[in-house]
Amino acid sequence: MFFRQDFFQQVYRPAGERGDGSVPYASVVLDIPTRALDAPFDYLVPSELVGDVGVGVTVLVTFSGRPAIGYVVVVSDVPPEGVPVEKLRSIEQVLAASAFDASSARVAAWMAREYACPPSEAIHPFLAPGQTVRVRRPDEDSPWELVCEKSGPVDERWVRLTEKASSFAPRSNASRQRAVLDALESGPVRMAELSAMLPGASGAVSALAKKGVVSVEARRHVRGRDETSLSSARAQRPEQLTDGQREALAQIGRARDAARGDVVVIDGVTGSGKTEVYLRAIEEVIARGKGALVLVPEISLTAQTVGRFRSRFGDDVAILHSRLSLGERFDQWDMVRQGRAHVVVGARSALFAPLSNVGIVIIDEEHEGSYKQESAPRYHAREVAARICVERSCPLVLGSATPSLESLGRCLEGTWGGVTWTRVEMPERPGGAVLPKVHVVDMANQFAGGNRSIFSAPLARALEGVASRREKAVLLLNRRGFANFLMCRECGCVPECPHCSTALTYHERTHSLACHTCGRTWPVRAYPDPSTSCPNCGSRYMAAFGVGTQRVEDELRMLLPDDVAIVRMDADTTKGKGDHQRLLEEFDAAECAVLVGPQMIAKGLDFPEVTLVGVVNADTTLKMPDFRASERTYDLLEQVAGRAGRGERVGEVYIQTYWASHAAIRAVEHHDRDLFVSAELAERREGNYPPFSRLANVVCWGRDAAAVRRVLDEIAAAVRSHVEGRTGWEVLGPTDCLKAKVKDRIRRHLLVKAPVGSDLGALLGECVGSVSRPRGVSVAVDVDAYDMM
């Protein structure tokens, strides 16, 4: 038999004193996708596996009469309390070596409780890239083996000369052997390179190896170490630090010495040298024999950031992000596990790298919403990082020119979660560089003056000035495609996706309407093409409305000379591996260029030649039905404005808007955050929204609308019964989601507000688990939700 234990309590139980030599016991989290299995189960460790079973290993066990995969989270010589030892089943086989340690197991237990997910889902981020939950056995006599995607190690064959080579003379007709020996005189060569240079080299090497003249050895090939030509991917050590940089390093040093997981928020203007602070803090950590985890918000930043870190730390840097192939991710992950890399740089998932001796965790641009995971487990990297730092007794550094309101609030409180939160200001740019001049252009006035272009007159003149001075510019547009949508000029029909409740986006290059939710496309041509037809009334007047990145690119080509490079960087041009890096390198190498794109170009890019930033439509994010819309708009505009004027020349920013009086836009115009924060916090407090409360979004979806409605109604009733009469709790809904249908699934949701510090995840997990769901109906719990759509 097997016995379950509470996951959170189990991983925190002491290992106990060494027993009398009896067989150890292991607590195993089963990888079976059900909320009913919310705790690990106890198993015996047979004597033949004692040396192989430890925390973090993947094992095969029997559960309910069938084989199941599990992960060991605790190993102890002390038997579990109240459990008859003779009734415990044994672990049958070890399937994979350890992927995480006891500290990571405790973090996973915290995640399962905090984010209302099964324990196995909380463990998945810590596993080796490519590891699946399937096992196979080639035949009845063979052991079970874990089925993994193609992500294992790759060995390369290298050929080198032996001592016998100095006295060996090949026969006069052995020309290939002589050519191989000549090629190896300067050092070992890969067999693949020899074969490419010398046809027939393989046979010659085999003959020489039999004679002991050369040796062939297998060496591990580490994938994912591509270099970049970006000029911004090098970190020159400055001769002198600014006062803000010195103060930031001093506060990080205090947090490191305190060794309790204290947090330092570096509130530095764009271009203030936060990366140099990160680098020097990591140098101190490495000197103490520890490692560092560094998170960046977007894949597009990784090549630049990794280049900077490798210029300082060499091959001690590993990179982890989703655009790497499985094999590349595995090699980088395994480098960290083997202790061959001590600085891990990457996107959100890099937080779970198997770095055993973490000395510091750094999150750059910590305000970014991309740090919130949108699929299970729906964690926030900032909160998980804070928990990791408490477990590892190391500092957490959060850097941003626009810190989140949650982080600012915790710094004002001084303490949060039992640790100290300290804010350090870095208000100046190094080397005398100044913040750019921001111009707000009221597009209503432009329209009234007869301007029908997507570019206002001031922005058009500024772009022409960049071209004449041979400088560079960045244009931000929060849309991809040619136009936002097509609309019939006669009946007003806007084509929508028949599988999703979203309007279709028009792409002129491919003459297609695309759903950016499910990915489906339909061929169509817009007016004045004679083949166009309204699906509602048959009219041919289906015209394109709105502005997309493709249209901005076309308008720029008409406005600027042919020798100005136009680089468009959006989801359509960055579908392939390495596309982000290729486009940034193209922009970097050009003498004069304009970079056009959505939010991905607004964050962290450092090009000193950029003297102009234009925001084509600042109002897009302001109009979103989200209580964070204003904050996101302010963050985006302030960040993209900071791309200008990082070199010797002063930068300018032009923000086109129909809402020039909005607090977020005025704050960016005057580089004065208080103009926005004070008004925003007042609204949040009145509505009891974060940071003054916690917010969870419970989403239910399925093809059967009646079943979806019934399940969510029952969950809402369970939540209301639990929180009735409790101060600070509020339940909103259920109601249809803004995206009420996605991929033919009906979607409804429930919002729950709770007091700050409440155990929201545990309550929602219990309520959702108490409701039975028919097949085809799914429920997701998003604690501390960012996406309300």
Side-chain angles (χ1 to χ4, degrees):
M1 295 180 63
F2 35 79
F3 292 84
R4 61 186 293 173
Q5 302 284 337
D6 179 83
F7 188 19
F8 195 80
Q9 295 177 358
Q10 186 80 342
V11 295
Y12 280 93
R13 79 177 189 185
E17 298 297 328
R18 193 75 182 171
D20 56 2
S22 59
V23 177
Y25 308 90
S27 295
V28 178
V29 170
L30 300 176
D31 204 330
I32 299 175
T34 173
R35 290 184 181 273
L37 299 182
D38 58 356
F41 291 80
D42 288 313
Y43 286 85
L44 291 172
V45 181
S47 57
E48 65 270 18
L49 295 180
V50 167
D52 299 323
V53 173
V55 174
V57 302
T58 303
V59 295
L60 181 71
V61 297
T62 297
F63 183 79
S64 295
R66 62 184 180 91
I69 294 174
Y71 313 106
V72 176
V73 293
V74 173
V75 175
S76 175
D77 288 332
V78 179
E81 296 182 5
V83 178
V85 176
E86 62 275 9
K87 293 187 177 182
L88 289 177
R89 285 187 178 273
S90 295
I91 292 175
E92 298 178 15
Q93 189 179 328
V94 173
L95 298 172
S98 177
F100 55 88
D101 58 13
S103 292
S104 296
R106 291 192 288 271
V107 172
W110 175 85
M111 289 172 60
R113 183 181 181 91
E114 185 75 1
Y115 296 108
C117 66
S120 60
E121 287 186 354
I123 288 175
H124 284 169
F126 294 94
L127 299 179
Q131 180 170 326
T132 66
V133 294
R134 294 182 292 125
V135 291
R136 66 185 173 193
R137 188 162 58 179
D139 53 67
E140 293 184 359
D141 298 327
S142 300
W144 290 93
E145 58 185 32
L146 195 64
V147 178
C148 293
E149 298 178 55
K150 295 180 180 180
S151 61
V154 172
D155 291 331
E156 289 183 333
R157 291 196 304 157
W158 285 73
V159 186
R160 66 177 180 84
L161 298 175
T162 65
E163 294 180 357
K164 290 185 179 181
S166 59
S167 58
F168 175 76
R171 297 193 312 270
S172 59
N173 62 344
S175 59
R176 287 195 180 93
Q177 291 186 14
R178 281 196 301 273
V180 167
L181 294 175
D182 291 342
L184 295 176
E185 282 186 355
S186 58
V189 179
R190 286 189 306 153
M191 188 67 232
E193 294 177 359
L194 273 178
S195 298
M197 293 185 298
L198 306 171
S202 179
V205 168
S206 297
L208 292 170
K210 289 179 181 179
K211 298 175 182 180
V213 178
V214 302
S215 67
V216 181
E217 59 187 27
R219 296 183 185 178
R220 174 74 179 275
H221 171 57
V222 178
R223 295 157 287 184
R225 283 187 167 178
D226 297 337
E227 299 297 326
T228 178
S229 62
L230 284 171
S231 59
S232 57
R234 295 164 184 81
Q236 299 292 334
R237 183 182 292 273
E239 296 181 0
Q240 186 176 358
L241 297 177
T242 65
D243 292 341
Q245 289 174 319
R246 286 193 292 269
E247 175 61 19
L249 287 169
Q251 291 295 343
I252 293 172
R254 295 188 188 101
R256 183 184 61 241
D257 295 339
R260 59 173 178 250
D262 287 348
V263 181
V264 178
V265 177
I266 301 179
D267 183 1
V269 299
T270 53
S272 59
K274 293 184 286 294
T275 300
E276 182 62 30
V277 173
Y278 305 155
L279 293 170
R280 299 210 180 190
I282 292 172
E283 287 175 345
E284 289 287 334
V285 166
I286 291 178
R288 295 168 181 249
K290 296 187 176 183
L293 298 174
V294 183
L295 272 62
V296 292
E298 290 285 349
I299 294 171
S300 60
L301 293 181
T302 304
Q304 172 180 287
T305 306
V306 171
R308 289 179 172 181
F309 279 79
R310 281 185 174 156
S311 72
R312 193 71 63 90
F313 302 113
D315 290 337
D316 206 18
V317 177
I319 172 176
L320 287 171
H321 62 75
S322 61
R323 282 294 178 101
L324 294 175
S325 69
L326 267 178
E328 289 171 333
R329 288 208 304 273
F330 179 85
D331 284 353
Q332 298 292 306
W333 182 90
D334 203 37
M335 278 177 55
V336 179
R337 180 171 62 172
Q338 295 179 13
R340 295 164 54 201
H342 300 91
V343 181
V344 182
V345 181
R348 186 177 55 231
S349 60
L351 189 63
F352 304 101
L355 188 63
S356 60
N357 200 6
V358 180
I360 191 171
V361 178
I362 298 170
I363 301 182
D364 191 31
E365 310 293 2
E366 68 86 21
H367 65 278
E368 267 300 313
S370 60
Y371 285 125
K372 185 69 166 71
Q373 173 82 356
E374 295 181 357
S375 58
R378 292 171 173 80
Y379 63 89
H380 195 296
R382 180 186 61 226
E383 308 306 325
V384 176
R387 190 70 186 190
I388 288 174
C389 290
V390 170
E391 287 290 340
R392 305 285 186 178
S393 301
C394 69
L396 170 61
V397 178
L398 306 176
S400 177
T402 55
S404 64
L405 295 182
E406 287 82 357
S407 294
L408 290 175
R410 295 174 188 182
C411 290
L412 287 175
E413 291 288 335
T415 59
W416 178 270
V419 302
T420 300
W421 283 65
T422 304
R423 173 172 166 255
V424 180
E425 291 188 79
M426 288 172 49
E428 72 275 17
R429 287 181 166 182
V434 297
L435 292 173
K437 171 67 176 176
V438 179
H439 308 272
V440 175
V441 181
D442 192 327
M443 294 301 287
N445 294 336
Q446 290 287 309
F447 187 83
N451 186 354
R452 300 296 184 266
S453 169
I454 62 174
F455 301 132
S456 63
L459 179 56
R461 287 194 297 269
L463 286 167
E464 291 167 345
V466 165
S468 65
R469 296 188 300 270
R470 311 305 295 167
E471 297 172 348
K472 294 181 181 179
V474 170
L475 282 186
L476 172 72
L477 179 70
N478 232 1
R479 287 281 183 178
R480 73 185 202 257
F482 182 82
N484 295 356
F485 56 90
L486 293 183
M487 186 175 73
C488 177
R489 299 298 294 268
E490 290 196 8
C491 71
C493 172
V494 176
E496 292 188 352
C497 176
H499 308 280
C500 311
S501 55
T502 52
L504 298 173
T505 300
Y506 180 57
H507 291 250
E508 187 183 51
R509 304 284 173 81
T510 57
H511 298 293
S512 63
L513 283 171
C515 176
H516 289 169
T517 299
C518 69
R520 291 181 172 88
T521 60
W522 291 265
V524 70
R525 291 179 181 268
Y527 178 84
D529 191 287
S531 65
T532 187
S533 174
C534 173
N536 182 53
C537 69
S539 168
R540 61 182 294 261
Y541 295 104
M542 289 292 293
F545 284 79
V547 180
T549 48
Q550 290 180 11
R551 183 179 171 191
V552 172
E553 180 185 5
D554 291 346
E555 294 279 347
L556 281 172
R557 294 193 186 280
M558 291 187 287
L559 176 69
L560 301 178
D562 293 339
D563 60 353
V564 177
I566 310 297
V567 180
R568 178 166 63 92
M569 187 173 174
D570 58 22
D572 295 322
T573 61
T574 57
K575 292 179 179 178
K577 179 186 172 185
D579 284 343
H580 288 86
Q581 181 172 329
R582 174 183 56 80
L583 291 172
L584 290 177
E585 289 173 350
E586 179 183 339
F587 178 69
D588 188 36
E591 178 194 7
C592 179
V594 179
L595 179 65
V596 180
Q599 294 188 21
M600 65 174 68
I601 70 169
K603 307 151 192 171
L605 299 179
D606 187 0
F607 295 103
E609 305 88 358
V610 173
T611 58
L612 173 67
V613 166
V615 181
V616 177
N617 55 346
D619 304 336
T620 302
T621 49
L622 277 177
K623 305 293 187 179
M624 299 295 288
D626 180 1
F627 74 92
R628 286 192 176 92
S630 296
E631 182 182 6
R632 287 174 171 170
T633 300
Y634 169 75
D635 292 344
L636 178 63
L637 297 180
E638 185 68 25
Q639 289 287 334
V640 74
R643 302 313 107 203
R646 288 174 169 246
E648 297 177 356
R649 301 172 182 172
V650 178
E652 284 192 302
V653 180
Y654 287 85
I655 299 176
Q656 299 185 163
T657 177
Y658 285 91
W659 202 347
S661 61
H662 194 281
I665 292 176
R666 290 193 298 110
V668 175
E669 180 183 13
H670 298 286
H671 295 294
D672 185 356
R673 184 193 302 152
D674 289 341
L675 292 176
F676 160 72
V677 170
S678 56
E680 181 68 12
L681 287 177
E683 289 187 9
R684 299 270 190 99
R685 187 187 298 274
E686 182 179 358
N688 192 31
Y689 280 102
F692 303 106
S693 68
R694 300 191 71 186
L695 180 67
N697 188 23
V698 182
V699 182
C700 183
W701 69 95
R703 292 182 183 272
D704 187 337
V708 169
R709 183 179 294 272
R710 179 188 62 79
V711 169
L712 195 58
D713 286 347
E714 291 182 9
I715 293 173
V719 174
R720 286 190 167 97
S721 66
H722 276 75
V723 304
E724 186 176 1
R726 296 169 65 174
T727 304
W729 290 79
E730 186 178 359
V731 181
L732 304 175
T735 188
D736 291 341
C737 295
L738 188 64
K739 294 181 180 178
K741 184 172 70 171
V742 170
K743 299 180 181 180
D744 295 319
R745 271 75 173 178
I746 305 302
R747 303 173 73 246
R748 288 174 62 80
H749 70 146
L750 174 77
L751 295 181
V752 180
K753 295 179 184 178
V756 174
S758 61
D759 199 355
L760 180 57
L763 183 146
L764 293 178
E766 179 182 349
C767 293
V768 172
S770 67
V771 176
S772 62
R773 301 195 303 274
R775 183 183 297 273
V777 175
S778 302
V779 176
V781 179
D782 190 1
V783 177
D784 298 331
Y786 269 59
D787 182 6
M788 306 297 170
M789 307 288 277

